[in-house]
Amino acid sequence: MSLLVKIGGLSTPETLETALEAGADMVGFVFFPPSPRHLSLEAGRELSRQVKRRALKVALTVDADDATLDNIMDALSPDIFQLHGTESVARLRDIRQRVGRPVMKVVPVATSADLAVLPGYAEVAERILFDARAPKDATRPGGLGAPFDWHLLGNLELALPYMVSGGLSADNVAEAVRVTRAGGVDVSSGVESAPGVKDPEMIKAFIRAARASQDASQELSVR
């Protein structure tokens, strides 16, 4: 199965085009004001038009209310909602019903105990995204450039597709895929020259490295 590559937190036409041309499967847009990658609805609308159908559009929200979700649907018409807050299983169910789109629940990980929430979320979400748990004093739950211990997912048995994020870069994405056996990878700060400023060459390098990691794993399985 093909490895899904997501470039998150895109905010300019130029870097979005780089991600699309380099072959990203998913492109992510952040609607969360504390983030340096936050987009206005109008900016999201313009970028959405640029995507057309070349990749899946992912809208990241954090404990968003219904009005915010409705506004994002109107502006972006995303293919997937990435829920990065403390949303409960019941709230996930409500959101999925309201927006009529698949939901990807972010599960922050620091210890194996953090995986206890998976059975509940697996009943509702279409996909899980594992990210590093943010420090207690952090102003946002992700995009902080910190990895978690990937070996915590080493014996994971999850029927749902899952992705990994948190501190990924072109240098370590192959190891992340090898250890976690994830079906997808998500990068944001790892392709930035400064918080919120995407670097086109880093985007291309990450996608190349992610694709190469898949080729290597397929080669090993054939042997």
Side-chain angles (χ1 to χ4, degrees), residues 152-171:
L152 291 171
L153 305 184
N155 297 315
L156 183 67
E157 293 186 11
L158 186 64
L160 282 185
Y162 62 94
M163 303 176 71
V164 292
S165 63
L168 296 183
S169 69
D171 295 331

Side-chain angles (χ1 to χ4, degrees), residues 49 64 83 97 101 135 143 206:
R49 292 191 184 115
L83 306 178
Q97 186 172 9
R101 294 289 192 272
F206 182 85

